[in-house]
Amino acid sequence: MEKEEERHCVSLVPIFKALDQDDLGKISQNITSRQLAKGEILYSLNDNDDTLYIVHTGELKNYRILENGKEQLIRLLGPGAFTGEWSIFKSDIKHNDYIEALEPTEICQLTRQGFKQVLGQYPEISMSLLQHMSERLDISENQTATLAYGSITKRITSYLADLIINSKVNREGTIQIALPMTRKDLASYLGTTPESVTRGFNKLEKAGVIESISNKIIQVHDFNSL
């Protein structure tokens, strides 16, 4: 990866967005790159790690393996998303999850030592990092609460309700939601099967709560039902 690409990789990350080009260039000096093939594991359960990983191009999935052997999706990571920030604050950390490339992916890497130097030089990044980690904890808690519902339709409506804050209200007063993942990934995220997710969406459509505009676009007609 050329230095200009490394600078671009760093500029994609929300916690660095307040920095100017000169500062981004300085941070990029600490960046190394790594190429992942589709299906390649970035890290897995019990791996020791001290690295912040930033997605430059491609897509990763973050998941756990449950006691029953099924995969539980935690989140998807596209360009600008990052993971491994907890290792910055705790040495000899062991992962309790997996990161796998869904397609050929380019990663920017910043070691614990390098990131601590960056935080020392640019303390304003610390507040952005803490805000991001707080938001991620909120998402994790919402997922845990959603999985507590026995009904798949309730899990779906709870998930859709969480997405509404970033959605648009059209002229008719209905709300359109862009699903950030496929139905298959959503099933893994909600702890169920793709068939159950399909049945759940169909049930909500028949009840007039939602309308599937496409596989990724959902229109909500009855907000109170969510």
Side-chain angles (χ1 to χ4, degrees):
M1 184 187 293
E2 300 295 332
K3 287 301 176 185
E4 186 59 35
E5 291 180 327
E6 290 169 348
R7 186 198 301 256
H8 178 255
C9 183
V10 173
S11 70
L12 293 174
V13 184
I15 63 172
F16 298 138
K17 65 181 179 181
L19 303 181
D20 60 29
Q21 290 300 311
D22 288 340
D23 290 335
L24 291 174
K26 292 175 183 177
I27 293 176
S28 70
Q29 300 301 313
N30 296 312
I31 294 289
T32 59
S33 64
R34 177 176 174 182
Q35 302 285 340
L36 297 176
K38 180 179 179 180
E40 186 173 351
I41 300 296
L42 177 63
Y43 63 70
S44 58
L45 182 68
N46 292 325
D47 281 354
N48 284 308
D49 210 345
D50 68 344
T51 305
L52 179 75
Y53 300 103
I54 304 166
V55 182
H56 186 211
T57 61
E59 187 175 40
L60 304 170
K61 67 174 178 178
N62 181 202
Y63 63 94
R64 293 190 179 97
I65 300 298
L66 304 178
E67 292 183 359
N68 60 10
K70 292 184 178 181
E71 182 181 298
Q72 173 69 65
L73 180 67
I74 300 173
R75 62 189 178 114
L76 299 175
L77 296 87
F82 60 92
T83 186
E85 65 274 16
W86 291 107
S87 65
I88 305 303
F89 302 102
K90 183 178 180 181
S91 60
D92 298 323
I93 191 170
K94 288 188 177 182
H95 290 289
N96 62 359
D97 54 359
Y98 298 77
I99 294 282
E100 179 182 336
L102 293 175
E103 58 186 74
T105 300
E106 187 171 37
I107 298 294
C108 299
Q109 302 179 146
L110 186 61
T111 64
R112 181 173 185 261
Q113 181 178 359
F115 195 27
K116 289 182 71 173
Q117 290 176 354
V118 169
L119 293 179
Q121 293 174 331
Y122 307 100
E124 64 271 25
I125 293 175
S126 298
M127 290 304 298
S128 295
L129 179 63
L130 289 173
Q131 180 180 356
H132 175 86
M133 295 171 74
S134 176
E135 291 171 354
R136 190 173 298 178
L137 281 173
D138 283 342
I139 293 172
S140 179
E141 290 176 355
N142 287 340
Q143 183 185 20
T144 299
T146 297
L147 290 174
Y149 293 116
S151 165
I152 184 57
T153 54
K154 186 60 180 176
R155 293 187 196 184
I156 292 173
T157 55
S158 177
Y159 175 75
L160 294 179
D162 288 336
L163 295 179
I164 280 178
I165 190 172
N166 297 317
S167 303
K168 299 183 297 183
V169 179
N170 62 25
R171 293 179 179 178
E172 290 75 29
T174 57
I175 302 171
Q176 283 196 351
I177 299 173
L179 298 178
M181 62 184 74
T182 66
R183 300 289 177 94
K184 180 180 178 181
D185 289 331
L186 180 58
S188 177
Y189 185 83
L190 296 178
T192 186
T193 64
E195 294 79 11
S196 293
V197 166
T198 297
R199 287 194 296 270
F201 273 107
N202 289 342
K203 184 176 181 180
L204 290 170
E205 285 203 70
K206 289 179 180 178
V209 177
I210 65 170
E211 178 184 353
S212 294
I213 305 301
S214 69
N215 284 336
K216 285 293 189 74
I217 303 297
I218 301 296
Q219 189 157 289
V220 179
H221 294 293
D222 186 357
F223 175 77
N224 291 328
S225 294
L226 299 183

